[in-house]
Amino acid sequence: MQLIIVVISIILTGCSMVNYEVDNVTYTAKGKNQRVKFIILHYTACDDKISIDTLTKGNVSSHYLITTHKWDPIFQLVPENERAWHAGISSFQGRSNLNDTSIGIEIVNLGVSETEGGLKLHPFHESQIRKTAYLIKKLSKKYKIEPKNILGHSDISPGRKIDPGPLFPWERLHREFGIGAWYDSIDFNFYYDSAIFGIYSTENIQSEFKRYGYDMEVSGEWSEKDKKILKAFQLHFRPKNISGEIDLETFAMIKALNHKYR
Ligand SMILES: [Zn+2]
């Protein structure tokens, strides 16, 4: 009889899990940081309907989606504490796989399309720019994101991606809404000097791009990968002339940026 009682009590104890209290107030740790360090902007390269289908049903996603419809809200597709699959192979500031450490914002825009008259670029709607600015402002305040960590897909995946493309108004976002990184003209004018440019070796210039965050090797020679990075940089800061070559103007821009965001 006693044995039966013991067996029954073992079975009962095994089945009933005690609910312990979790105290998250008494002790808190100092050694921690935010998961979110970057905001990555994209265009979807397709219309609203296909964008919604692709980002909700496929194996790509983003935290936020901004459609072309002025009266649509900003759609959140993935909670901020979860990873969305928007960045793919990517790197910046010595970090790779930026899906782990970023929030992705997809903006519906057709990107670049081929027409009979050549390549056509599609401007963003005013409402999209304002919604993007509002969202970035909110997120960068919440996660204390550095201005230069607000980036395009092209910045973190040079050569592989060109979105959000040459028509994305980075300079306007900075000037009008105080969002993202942009150089000050006083610094640019200082470095826009062929005498200064002349004393910089290829290695020195490569170090400037690496210092800013681009995944550039300091080798002393311009590799194909480096040229893709130069193109990505120009796409962001000088979209009217994307040469993929280093020149005085590109040099002055990277120097002025490093001066401001050191
Ligand atoms: Zn993208």
Side-chain angles (χ1 to χ4, degrees):
M1 185 60 186
Q2 241 179 350
L3 183 68
I4 293 170
I5 292 168
V6 170
V7 169
I8 290 172
S9 69
I10 287 171
I11 291 169
L12 286 177
T13 332
C15 292
S16 62
M17 183 76 87
V18 180
N19 290 324
Y20 289 102
E21 186 196 351
V22 176
D23 174 348
N24 59 6
V25 178
T26 309
Y27 307 111
T28 53
K30 276 191 178 159
K32 60 177 179 173
N33 57 13
Q34 284 287 354
R35 180 193 76 81
V36 179
K37 297 188 181 306
F38 300 93
I39 295 174
I40 308 299
L41 301 178
H42 305 259
Y43 63 47
T44 59
C46 50
D47 66 18
D48 287 300
K49 191 187 174 314
I50 298 173
S51 299
I52 293 166
D53 281 356
T54 309
L55 291 167
T56 55
K57 294 175 186 161
N59 54 5
V60 288
S61 60
S62 64
H63 294 91
Y64 291 99
L65 172 69
I66 295 172
T67 66
T68 60
H69 299 292
K70 191 178 173 182
W71 302 113
D72 268 357
I74 297 166
F75 292 104
Q76 181 168 9
L77 313 177
V78 175
E80 287 168 15
N81 60 356
E82 290 179 29
R83 290 166 85 245
W85 299 344
H86 60 98
I89 300 164
S90 50
S91 53
F92 206 80
Q93 277 188 4
R95 291 176 185 273
S96 52
N97 291 320
L98 267 71
N99 279 340
D100 296 345
T101 49
S102 67
I103 284 187
I105 303 173
E106 288 275 4
I107 307 165
V108 177
N109 178 282
L110 296 179
V112 184
S113 50
E114 277 185 56
T115 64
E116 282 181 9
L119 292 178
K120 183 180 178 340
L121 297 169
H122 301 266
F124 293 88
H125 294 253
E126 181 60 22
S127 64
Q128 291 181 304
I129 296 178
R130 291 184 171 272
K131 284 177 193 171
T132 305
Y134 166 81
L135 186 56
I136 297 177
K137 195 113 197 160
K138 198 161 148 280
L139 293 170
S140 51
K141 193 175 169 202
K142 180 172 174 187
Y143 296 106
K144 300 186 177 66
I145 294 175
E146 288 178 50
K148 69 176 185 178
N149 285 4
I150 296 162
L151 296 160
H153 203 180
S154 48
D155 292 303
I156 60 165
S157 304
R160 196 172 71 79
K161 293 288 172 183
I162 62 158
D163 59 313
L167 294 189
F168 188 78
W170 290 108
E171 186 175 4
R172 180 182 162 198
L173 279 195
H174 181 80
R175 294 201 193 288
E176 209 174 311
F177 304 97
I179 286 171
W182 202 262
Y183 52 86
D184 289 338
S185 10
I186 186 165
D187 301 326
F188 174 83
N189 291 338
F190 176 81
Y191 289 110
Y192 192 76
D193 179 339
S194 41
I196 300 178
F197 185 38
I199 55 172
Y200 271 71
S201 65
T202 302
E203 268 183 18
N204 294 151
I205 299 172
Q206 286 170 327
S207 303
E208 294 290 334
F209 282 92
K210 192 180 168 70
R211 188 173 146 206
Y212 191 73
Y214 287 96
D215 183 19
M216 192 176 275
E217 266 176 55
V218 182
S219 65
E221 277 174 46
W222 295 106
S223 65
E224 283 310 306
K225 185 187 164 196
D226 296 339
K227 287 178 184 177
K228 287 174 184 167
I229 293 172
L230 287 176
K231 273 191 181 176
F233 178 81
Q234 291 161 345
L235 193 58
H236 189 136
F237 293 101
R238 193 183 71 183
K240 285 196 172 79
N241 182 6
I242 304 164
S243 64
E245 303 290 333
I246 188 70
D247 51 37
L248 178 57
E249 195 181 27
T250 308
F251 167 78
M253 284 172 181
I254 190 71
K255 281 298 294 176
L257 283 164
N258 277 333
H259 181 83
K260 185 172 176 184
Y261 301 103
R262 46 194 151 184

